[in-house]
Amino acid sequence: MTAKVTTIKNKRPQSRSVWIVSQYNEPMDIMKKDGKTMSRLERELFTAKAKNKTIVIDSITSIKQVGTTSRPHET
């Protein structure tokens, strides 16, 4: 899926479009429960020396189903 993401660098928000592969469809679920995707976005959007690494997923732009999962969502 593609999503609109806002990063905060030097107290200035910057928005851009990124791709995400996740079993969750809601932005809050991705930010809270999908640590693998959030760590990949941190590596992709920030340098190693960045101090405040704030990433907010604003909205999901498009969804393309690639596969299915046999286990239910973890609560």
Side-chain angles (χ1 to χ4, degrees):
M1 65 183 90
T2 55
K4 185 174 181 180
V5 174
T6 300
T7 58
I8 300 175
K9 292 182 182 180
N10 299 329
K11 299 181 182 178
R12 293 186 179 157
Q14 298 176 345
S15 295
R16 63 184 290 191
S17 181
V18 295
W19 59 271
I20 295 174
V21 176
S22 178
Q23 64 181 354
Y24 303 104
N25 291 332
E26 298 296 319
M28 284 302 288
D29 290 339
I30 295 170
M31 288 189 291
K32 286 182 179 180
K33 299 176 183 177
D34 199 353
K36 195 174 205 179
T37 297
M38 293 306 289
S39 65
R40 183 190 62 82
L41 289 175
E42 275 187 21
R43 285 193 317 265
E44 183 179 314
L45 300 174
F46 292 107
T47 61
K49 294 181 182 180
K51 293 179 183 176
N52 295 333
K53 299 178 180 180
T54 305
I55 299 175
V56 178
I57 300 175
D58 297 324
S59 62
I60 304 296
T61 310
S62 66
I63 297 175
K64 178 182 177 185
Q65 184 172 352
V66 177
T68 59
T69 179
S70 60
R71 58 187 154 131
H73 293 300
E74 296 150 5
T75 57

